[in-house]
Amino acid sequence: MKNAILASTSTLHGQSYLEYLLPEVKKHFGDAGEVIFIPYARPGGISHDEYTRLVRDTFQPVGIQIKGLHEYKDPVEAIKGASGIFTGGGNTFLLVEKLYRNKVMSVLKETLLAGIPYLGTSAGTNIAGLSMQTTNDMPIIYPPSFHTLGLVPFNINPHYLDPDTNSTHKGETRETRIKEFHTLNTQPVVGLREGSWLEVRADKISLKGPLPARIFKVDEVPFELEPNGSLTHLN
Amino acid sequence: MKNAILASTSTLHGQSYLEYLLPEVKKHFGDAGEVIFIPYARPGGISHDEYTRLVRDTFQPVGIQIKGLHEYKDPVEAIKGASGIFTGGGNTFLLVEKLYRNKVMSVLKETLLAGIPYLGTSAGTNIAGLSMQTTNDMPIIYPPSFHTLGLVPFNINPHYLDPDTNSTHKGETRETRIKEFHTLNTQPVVGLREGSWLEVRADKISLKGPLPARIFKVDEVPFELEPNGSLTHLN
């Protein structure tokens, strides 16, 4: 009975935080009352308090109350009792390290599999995949494992970026990086462009937002999935 | 008695492999006879044999013989007996995992500290820093540690890329990523642009090539170091 929104990014160019997604989020968390925010990914190194304040101020106008997971004495018990959970973006290595260190990873998985509404953006979306190994982030801390929630049977690459055909830079394109991932790993990868999100309802997974997603399967030519397309059988 | 060239990239736009650096490399390895090539980073997933062939064909015209480390029965003994070593670019996680798995990391460090000439490009340059944690690569495999050679007393970010001021993409800029690194780690980071390299001779470290490098120190405003500038006291 999964029930999740997994967004590529929290913020679109020229918009405020979560602006484009807020109507969707309001419906999603409608009856949840209070939502627990997981601020562990700390974008740009901001504190848990600062990050939670941003989210609280964003959700307040649509009637959703926010409490930061770091404000609970026992994060495991907090997750067990949650009626809605949002994990924000930032650094995926830091997020995963902290989820493991606080013993939250497995209870978070159980809670989400039980159907508690979940919202992820960026790093918070990446961890819904089988592993965090298609993150774009720097390994600023060493997590005890790269395995993540497996809420969907594939990996996600948030902020998916098409190759810049005018670039003279020799660093790898995103597509090359995902190809390298597939020399050692077999799960499909969903390249989720900014403005797109995955909607997970029970066993159905759909692509939402105005843009197609780019799908990478091992030993196959990547292809585009159109908006509202199904990812239910991608594994 | 360190003796190393640490290049940001192997290849410049519109040039062939190592073209811009070959005169320098010829001088560097001049008397080495045979150079051991470490192909573990496998760019784009190519095989150790393919990668070694590319390097062998590139070095042959300047009279440097290449043998791949994977061609030796005992890689540890091979490194101990090397008269020159080159580590090529590709995926840094894969490179570091394989160096640890084959027990090469510590003997490589000892060999380089003893003054055996070393060339690194991209991932092969990243591992000369204190840790691999300022890599740009995807974590396609889980290495037993992020610690690397520490041939220089700081971290290196190869393929350093200035922020694109016209971009509407919300993924983090390189500078933001390095700032996040500095919320958890204290060593300086050298952002090495493509076409630049570090020359390490005994205890002296200099920036070479036509471009400045961008230097990041914890809690300080980043600054530019001009070509031929010294990094000897950066730590």
Side-chain angles (χ1 to χ4, degrees):
Chain A
M1 276 307 299
K2 302 168 200 168
N3 186 15
I5 290 178
L6 307 173
S8 174
T9 185
S10 62
T11 314
L12 290 179
H13 182 71
Q15 293 193 6
S16 61
Y17 184 71
L18 278 176
E19 184 177 334
Y20 79 102
L21 204 58
L22 214 50
E24 205 59 41
V25 168
K26 183 177 155 66
K27 272 190 285 174
H28 186 59
F29 284 132
D31 303 321
E34 188 173 83
V35 168
I36 294 182
F37 176 61
I38 303 180
Y40 293 167
R42 298 179 55 202
I46 63 169
S47 71
H48 293 153
D49 277 343
E50 283 174 284
Y51 200 9
T52 302
R53 194 177 313 127
L54 168 69
V55 173
R56 183 173 288 135
D57 291 349
T58 303
F59 280 48
Q60 193 268 331
V62 296
I64 299 168
Q65 306 307 312
I66 290 291
K67 189 162 177 180
L69 184 56
H70 68 293
E71 298 173 46
Y72 290 86
K73 197 172 167 193
D74 184 338
V76 172
E77 287 304 313
I79 293 293
K80 277 186 186 168
S83 49
I85 299 168
F86 169 30
T87 306
N91 187 285
T92 310
F93 290 86
L94 182 55
L95 171 59
V96 168
E97 197 272 342
K98 188 95 173 160
L99 287 173
Y100 276 112
R101 184 146 53 93
N102 289 356
K103 304 195 191 321
V104 170
M105 188 67 91
S106 63
V107 68
L108 180 57
K109 179 173 181 165
E110 285 162 29
T111 304
L112 299 189
L113 290 178
I116 296 299
Y118 178 76
L119 170 64
T121 59
S122 193
T125 286
N126 179 294
I127 61 165
L130 292 172
S131 82
M132 58 161 285
Q133 291 177 270
T134 48
T135 177
N136 311 306
D137 295 335
M138 261 189 190
I140 64 174
I141 194 167
Y142 186 73
S145 169
F146 285 160
H147 293 290
T148 48
L149 299 169
L151 197 63
V152 292
F154 44 78
N155 265 35
I156 300 172
N157 178 246
H159 301 284
Y160 181 75
L161 196 58
D162 292 287
D164 175 358
T165 49
N166 294 318
S167 176
T168 59
H169 189 72
K170 302 301 282 187
E172 294 87 347
T173 65
R174 195 66 59 79
E175 185 152 333
T176 301
R177 293 172 196 280
I178 295 171
K179 187 183 160 196
E180 287 180 356
F181 171 77
H182 272 153
T183 62
L184 299 174
N185 304 272
T186 57
Q187 64 262 45
V189 178
V190 174
L192 206 55
R193 294 184 175 91
E194 295 183 344
S196 298
W197 67 93
L198 301 183
E199 189 183 84
V200 185
R201 305 278 188 232
D203 288 328
K204 289 204 161 56
I205 310 170
S206 323
L207 175 65
K208 298 294 174 183
L211 299 172
R214 193 155 180 86
I215 313 295
F216 301 84
K217 297 179 80 169
V218 68
D219 291 336
E220 293 186 23
V221 177
F223 62 93
E224 296 284 319
L225 179 80
E226 295 304 312
N228 295 309
S230 169
L231 292 140
T232 304
H233 301 293
L234 183 70
N235 58 45
Chain B
M1 278 305 298
K2 302 169 203 168
N3 185 15
I5 290 177
L6 308 173
S8 175
T9 185
S10 62
T11 314
L12 290 179
H13 182 70
Q15 293 193 6
S16 61
Y17 185 71
L18 278 175
E19 185 177 333
Y20 79 102
L21 204 58
L22 214 51
E24 206 59 41
V25 168
K26 183 177 156 65
K27 272 190 285 174
H28 186 58
F29 285 133
D31 304 322
E34 190 173 81
V35 168
I36 294 181
F37 175 60
I38 303 181
Y40 293 167
R42 300 179 55 203
I46 64 169
S47 72
H48 294 153
D49 277 344
E50 282 175 284
Y51 199 10
T52 302
R53 194 176 312 127
L54 168 69
V55 173
R56 183 174 288 135
D57 292 351
T58 303
F59 280 48
Q60 193 268 333
V62 295
I64 299 169
Q65 307 306 311
I66 290 290
K67 189 163 176 179
L69 185 55
H70 68 294
E71 299 173 45
Y72 290 87
K73 199 173 165 192
D74 184 337
V76 172
E77 288 304 313
I79 292 292
K80 278 185 186 168
S83 50
I85 298 168
F86 170 30
T87 306
N91 186 285
T92 310
F93 290 86
L94 182 55
L95 171 60
V96 169
E97 196 273 342
K98 187 96 173 157
L99 287 172
Y100 276 112
R101 184 146 52 95
N102 289 356
K103 305 197 190 317
V104 170
M105 189 67 90
S106 62
V107 68
L108 179 58
K109 180 172 181 166
E110 286 162 28
T111 303
L112 299 188
L113 290 178
I116 296 299
Y118 178 76
L119 170 65
T121 60
S122 192
T125 286
N126 179 293
I127 62 166
L130 291 172
S131 82
M132 58 162 286
Q133 292 178 268
T134 48
T135 178
N136 311 306
D137 295 334
M138 261 190 189
I140 63 173
I141 194 166
Y142 185 73
S145 169
F146 286 159
H147 293 290
T148 48
L149 298 169
L151 197 62
V152 292
F154 44 78
N155 264 35
I156 300 172
N157 177 247
H159 302 282
Y160 181 75
L161 196 58
D162 292 288
D164 176 357
T165 50
N166 293 317
S167 176
T168 59
H169 189 73
K170 303 300 282 188
E172 294 87 347
T173 65
R174 195 67 59 80
E175 185 152 331
T176 301
R177 294 171 195 281
I178 294 171
K179 188 182 159 195
E180 287 181 356
F181 172 78
H182 271 154
T183 62
L184 300 173
N185 304 272
T186 57
Q187 64 263 47
V189 178
V190 174
L192 205 55
R193 295 184 174 91
E194 295 183 345
S196 297
W197 65 95
L198 302 183
E199 189 183 83
V200 185
R201 305 278 188 229
D203 288 329
K204 288 204 163 53
I205 310 171
S206 322
L207 175 64
K208 298 294 173 182
L211 300 172
R214 194 155 180 85
I215 313 295
F216 301 84
K217 298 179 80 168
V218 68
D219 291 336
E220 293 187 23
V221 177
F223 63 93
E224 298 283 319
L225 179 79
E226 294 304 313
N228 295 310
S230 169
L231 292 140
T232 304
H233 301 293
L234 183 71
N235 57 44

